[in-house]
Amino acid sequence: MTTTTTDRPAPSRTLWQRLARSLTQHDSFGAYFEPLIQLALPMWSTSGYRTKVLEVRTELPDVYSLVLKPGRGWGGFRAGQFVQIVAEQNGVLCSRHFSISSSPDHYARTGLIELTIRVQDKGRITPWLRQQFANGGWLRISAAQGDFVLPQGNGPVLLLAGGSGITPFRSMLNQLRAQNDNRDVQLLYFARDNQHFLFRDEFNRLQLDNPQLNITLLDNEQHGLISAELLQQYCPDFARRQILICGPAPMIALSRNILTDMQVPQQNIGFEYFGAAPIDQPRSSSDAALVAFRQSGINVDIAAGESARSLLEVAENAGLKPVSGCRVGVCHQCICQKQSGVVYNTRTGQYSDTGAGEIQLCISVAASDLVLDL
Amino acid sequence: MPSAHIPSAETLQSFEQDINRIRDNTLTNVGQADADYIRNMIRFQRLLDLSGRLCMVLGFLHPLWWVGGVFALGIAKILDNMEIGHNVLHGQYDWMNDPHINSRKFEWDNAGDSGSWKRYHNHEHHTYTNIIGKDRDYGYGLLRLSNDLPWRPKNVLQMVYYWLLSILFEWGVAYHEVAAERIFFGKKRKHSSLPISREQLKKDFFNKISYQMFKDYIFWPLLCFPVFFQVLLGNICANLIRNLWTSTIIFCGHFTEEAHTFSEEECKNETRGQWYYRQILGSSNLEGPRWFHILTGHLSCQVEHHLFPDVPARHYPAMAAEVAEVCKKHGIPYNTGPFFAQYFTVLQRVWKYSFPSSEGKQQAA
């Protein structure tokens, strides 16, 4: 009700919230006291859970795991879910999503969770996190999110992992082991070469424990990308299984096409993109970009080679009416929440971060696929 | 006041590059230190706010507690409105991605709701600075501050209006946009650029006012019931301190003797360089120690604020030296002076234009 720059109706406030509004100009007393509380508790926040980084463990030269101890009140998770982490980099609160690679059972026993992260080439956050938290530190995590979990019951399952998309599956397999659940699980794990398989020893041990668990490592150098032939060869009964796919976007697209061609019903296929972090490279003008306006459900394709238009124009051409003002970047009325993707700021000549952040629509141009809160 | 002789296109182009360079150099240094600065400023403000309210209550021990409390609360409100609120609402800290320190969410301890303020201030005032007919902050539709407006008999009393506006400044600011939209009376604006409905505007106006009134004039006094009037009076005084200070600083920013005005015609299709030029001519700086800059929310560097409204304001004093240098190089006037000298010219200006133009000069002299 106070910030009126959005058309969305403000949610009605409880009496307590109104009191906080009146006394502190914030929606909660916690938000008002947040900067003071942070003096004693770094990274404390009204949104998210203050979390201690205990260790950064190297898994492969370009992959590491963050060992985290979530703060009080964090509600736990189901194997396969992900969290958003927020860390302060040079004054900027940066956020990224990562699947939890350890099991809920591990969390129950130790109070710890692990995020396994691949260092992104030219990435801004993934290389930095490893250095920044080498000696521990504090960050903030969200509640666990996502529906990418093992199907209910005892039915046979096929897991297809690509690269660091293995992380949610590691959580699931460890959880099955902890629950003595010996269901029939096939995992086909694709990586770019033989050196890039994660958790090899751990997977070997898990296989020994459960005769019904079958893990096949397929490196792209030797076997190529996922194909119908590979599926037939290593998991001939895939048609009767529930299938979960996690990996980079092209791998997911390819797998889904193959499965669809082989008449696997859509409801048997689940997939998750979060296994791989989003691409950090800005779009070159020869690439097309997709701008997704999340609230209105409108998607706009920006064709390759099309001259750069501000996102404000893109939104207006799509029939949306975002609040705007000066149209030259002065008044900050057209600020919009970006969920993900890179934008180019025509005024400062800088590229944005790939994660969530606020952008000025009138001076921003799409530099990759984008998801906007509009 | 007539506008100054406009420099050649080449001068303006080279001037534009120089100003851009200052901006770019500063932006490369914006980071952790700025985030720490604004967080620490907010912490200091919160502590001052809370301790001010507490000390005020202790006034029954000795009146000096009350005086100290009022003073602390007044300063807390000034910091909240100027160094924190005004700068955050300009988007100077949006890059931090902090859910509570950004221009979309921030709300200040002021009768005007921040959303409405942002709409007219960030847009109209900062885009159309000192353009008569476009910049509604120019004299707030109440004062005649240049010969661009015809003289009317009511202007004789404008020194009185000016004092009243200063005393009630937060209410004036709150009323500003609603008034311009002719929400309550008079004819409606034909071409409203308002991005929200008039009902919403009205609702925001009354909501914010009631939240503010409830807090300072009902809740806190009642909570400290035995000293009800002591707290009530203290809150009134603290708000008054803030009103007088903010009004004075803001008037010094644009209505000093040397500050120029512009016509809509002059500003059509202007280049970035011309825009910079207009911002410099329409603003004036105040000199003083660091604490003075902070208490003005760095509006003491009004010129730099208008050139770089979304650069974190703590960089303005350093940028000011560079901007003054660039202006000197290109022969562009740069208006700066000590606070009292500048303020004196503001009073002179309000007085001078109280009267029709020809006599005005004699009266002022």
Side-chain angles (χ1 to χ4, degrees):
Chain A
M1 253 175 289
T2 44
T3 45
T4 50
T5 45
T6 57
D7 286 332
R8 262 172 289 160
S12 61
R13 296 195 170 97
T14 63
L15 206 59
W16 184 248
Q17 283 170 325
R18 282 166 179 274
L19 187 66
R21 254 287 130 190
S22 175
L23 298 187
T24 68
Q25 297 90 50
H26 285 72
D27 277 323
S28 70
F29 288 101
Y32 177 81
F33 287 108
E34 185 180 286
L36 293 175
I37 295 170
Q38 283 172 347
L39 278 177
L41 308 174
M43 290 306 281
W44 186 90
S45 168
T46 52
S47 56
Y49 301 85
R50 174 180 133 83
T51 291
K52 187 164 196 183
V53 183
L54 295 180
E55 190 194 343
V56 179
R57 192 178 62 225
T58 299
E59 306 284 357
L60 288 176
D62 64 342
V63 180
Y64 60 93
S65 291
L66 292 180
V67 181
L68 306 178
K69 186 173 174 56
R72 235 184 298 161
W74 191 69
F77 67 105
R78 289 188 293 161
Q81 286 193 305
F82 62 89
V83 288
Q84 181 189 45
I85 71 169
V86 178
E88 189 177 11
Q89 183 190 42
N90 194 23
V92 184
L93 294 174
C94 301
S95 64
R96 288 287 185 279
H97 292 95
F98 296 108
S99 294
I100 301 171
S101 61
S102 58
S103 66
D105 170 69
H106 181 71
Y107 175 62
R109 283 184 289 111
T110 61
L112 305 179
I113 62 169
E114 294 177 11
L115 308 177
T116 303
I117 298 165
R118 173 174 303 257
V119 176
Q120 196 102 48
D121 221 17
K122 294 186 193 162
R124 194 144 98 188
I125 301 302
T126 49
W128 172 80
L129 276 174
R130 163 141 80 171
Q131 288 169 6
Q132 178 70 15
F133 292 97
N135 299 314
W138 293 91
L139 45 73
R140 199 178 293 160
I141 65 172
S142 69
Q145 303 164 54
D147 306 318
F148 189 70
V149 292
L150 279 174
Q152 299 277 326
N154 260 329
V157 181
L158 167 61
L159 309 176
L160 296 174
S164 47
I166 190 68
T167 51
F169 296 141
R170 178 194 182 220
S171 176
M172 293 175 190
L173 296 183
N174 276 306
Q175 186 64 13
L176 289 178
R177 165 80 187 75
Q179 292 171 340
N180 290 319
D181 183 333
N182 288 338
R183 75 166 92 174
D184 177 358
V185 178
Q186 281 275 351
L187 166 63
L188 301 191
Y189 177 12
F190 293 84
R192 73 185 110 136
D193 59 47
N194 200 32
Q195 264 66 60
H196 276 88
F197 289 105
L198 285 159
F199 313 122
R200 256 185 147 139
D201 300 339
E202 197 175 317
F203 287 163
N204 280 335
R205 282 198 302 275
L206 286 169
Q207 277 197 103
L208 290 176
D209 284 348
N210 177 5
Q212 293 271 75
L213 170 63
N214 204 332
I215 300 176
T216 312
L217 305 183
L218 298 163
D219 73 80
N220 295 151
E221 275 183 351
Q222 205 187 330
H223 300 274
L225 301 175
I226 186 170
S227 63
E229 292 71 38
L230 286 174
L231 269 181
Q232 298 280 12
Q233 188 179 344
Y234 292 102
C235 185
D237 63 346
F238 63 88
R240 67 179 191 93
R241 291 169 184 268
Q242 285 287 328
I243 303 173
L244 294 180
I245 316 168
C246 187
M251 180 260 179
I252 291 176
L254 184 59
S255 311
R256 290 179 67 201
N257 283 340
I258 292 168
L259 292 170
T260 310
D261 286 348
M262 300 199 302
Q263 320 293 329
V264 176
Q266 288 298 315
Q267 67 266 25
N268 286 5
I269 308 173
F271 56 93
E272 179 92 312
Y273 288 103
F274 284 112
I279 306 145
D280 269 281
Q281 272 76 38
R283 178 180 75 114
S284 69
S285 59
S286 59
D287 296 332
L290 177 79
V291 181
F293 297 103
R294 209 176 59 154
Q295 283 173 15
S296 49
I298 296 176
N299 293 333
V300 178
D301 274 308
I302 298 178
E306 193 177 316
S307 64
R309 275 183 303 153
S310 77
L311 288 171
L312 183 59
E313 289 170 60
V314 172
E316 285 172 345
N317 287 347
L320 298 171
K321 291 193 180 62
V323 173
S324 67
C326 68
R327 306 186 80 95
V328 290
V330 173
C331 78
H332 286 256
Q333 287 194 76
C334 63
I335 280 189
C336 166
Q337 180 76 19
K338 164 176 72 74
Q339 289 300 329
S340 66
V342 180
V343 297
Y344 175 73
N345 183 320
T346 56
R347 190 146 161 249
T348 61
Q350 286 175 336
Y351 288 96
S352 76
D353 185 45
T354 54
E358 296 194 326
I359 57 166
Q360 289 172 271
L361 290 175
C362 69
I363 52 167
S364 297
V365 174
S368 76
D369 290 350
L370 293 176
V371 181
L372 301 178
D373 260 357
L374 258 181
Chain B
M1 178 160 290
S3 50
H5 173 68
I6 294 187
S8 70
E10 294 80 52
T11 309
L12 279 176
Q13 203 181 358
S14 137
F15 170 69
E16 176 183 333
Q17 286 164 357
D18 286 341
I19 297 290
N20 282 340
R21 187 176 39 78
I22 297 174
R23 178 196 158 87
D24 294 345
N25 286 346
T26 305
L27 278 182
T28 56
N29 292 325
V30 167
Q32 192 69 52
D34 295 272
D36 292 343
Y37 173 82
I38 194 67
R39 289 216 174 89
N40 284 331
M41 185 54 68
I42 291 172
R43 284 172 189 137
F44 179 67
Q45 189 275 337
R46 304 269 141 99
L47 289 174
L48 206 58
D49 184 342
L50 297 168
S51 53
R53 292 188 190 279
L54 182 70
C55 290
M56 211 185 280
V57 175
L58 299 180
F60 65 87
L61 296 175
H62 191 285
L64 272 183
W65 281 105
W66 183 84
V67 173
V70 169
F71 187 70
L73 184 58
I75 300 287
K77 281 172 182 272
I78 285 170
L79 288 176
D80 174 86
N81 289 182
M82 311 276 277
E83 182 66 348
I84 302 167
H86 174 259
N87 289 332
V88 167
L89 289 173
H90 264 292
Q92 293 179 4
Y93 299 96
D94 283 2
W95 54 271
M96 283 169 61
N97 248 338
D98 190 300
H100 304 303
I101 309 177
N102 70 65
S103 61
R104 255 193 341 162
K105 307 271 174 58
F106 195 86
E107 187 59 67
W108 51 13
D109 183 358
N110 187 296
D113 95 277
S114 61
S116 301
W117 178 82
K118 246 182 341 187
R119 268 193 305 275
Y120 77 78
H121 176 91
N122 283 17
H123 180 197
E124 298 193 9
H125 171 59
H126 273 271
T127 318
Y128 309 114
T129 311
N130 283 23
I131 297 178
I132 302 300
K134 286 285 253 181
D135 178 3
R136 285 191 276 126
D137 275 11
Y138 201 80
Y140 296 93
L142 192 68
L143 308 177
R144 175 181 182 264
L145 296 170
S146 79
N147 283 329
D148 300 304
L149 291 180
W151 181 83
R152 293 211 179 85
K154 66 168 186 183
N155 293 127
V156 172
L157 286 177
Q158 71 176 10
M159 197 49 116
V160 179
Y161 305 152
Y162 167 66
W163 287 114
L164 284 175
L165 176 64
S166 286
I167 289 168
L168 300 171
F169 196 61
E170 65 171 325
W171 303 103
V173 168
Y175 188 58
H176 201 42
E177 191 186 38
V178 206
E181 289 295 327
R182 308 263 192 277
I183 290 296
F184 298 117
F185 30 70
K187 62 173 192 284
K188 288 178 182 172
R189 269 181 138 197
K190 265 198 194 116
H191 303 289
S192 168
S193 58
L194 202 63
I196 62 166
S197 71
R198 296 159 61 87
E199 285 62 42
Q200 187 65 43
L201 179 67
K202 233 190 291 188
K203 210 168 133 190
D204 293 338
F205 173 75
F206 284 118
N207 262 336
K208 186 65 200 289
I209 283 184
S210 51
Y211 280 145
Q212 287 293 109
M213 300 273 281
F214 175 75
K215 169 179 69 131
D216 277 342
Y217 304 136
I218 299 173
F219 181 84
W220 288 119
L222 273 182
L223 190 74
C224 316
F225 182 68
V227 288
F228 180 89
F229 287 105
Q230 188 178 312
V231 173
L232 181 69
L233 186 67
N235 289 347
I236 291 174
C237 290
N239 280 324
L240 182 65
I241 291 173
R242 185 267 321 277
N243 287 351
L244 291 174
W245 177 255
T246 48
S247 150
T248 303
I249 294 303
I250 285 158
F251 269 73
C252 282
H254 293 297
F255 312 135
T256 56
E257 190 179 13
E258 299 297 329
H260 291 259
T261 57
F262 304 87
S263 68
E264 271 187 70
E265 207 50 44
E266 287 173 288
C267 309
K268 273 195 182 134
N269 302 320
E270 64 183 2
T271 64
R272 191 88 194 159
Q274 285 167 327
W275 187 81
Y276 281 150
Y277 171 73
R278 179 158 56 81
Q279 301 299 331
I280 290 186
L281 257 58
S283 314
S284 36
N285 279 9
L286 306 172
E287 290 158 7
R290 183 149 186 265
W291 61 262
F292 171 78
H293 288 306
I294 292 173
L295 278 183
T296 66
H298 289 89
L299 286 183
S300 49
C301 299
Q302 188 74 246
V303 174
E304 287 67 34
H305 175 58
H306 268 266
L307 292 175
F308 319 110
D310 52 10
V311 171
R314 60 189 278 269
H315 296 281
Y316 290 165
M319 297 173 98
E322 294 180 58
V323 172
E325 192 70 23
V326 165
C327 286
K328 202 171 147 194
K329 176 174 139 195
H330 296 289
I332 290 168
Y334 184 90
N335 187 350
T336 181
F339 170 63
F340 285 109
Q342 295 282 61
Y343 185 55
F344 182 67
T345 70
V346 170
L347 295 179
Q348 266 184 322
R349 190 166 187 159
V350 176
W351 177 252
K352 175 174 162 184
Y353 292 104
S354 303
F355 306 99
S357 54
S358 51
E359 307 121 74
K361 287 197 178 83
Q362 291 151 18
Q363 293 277 1

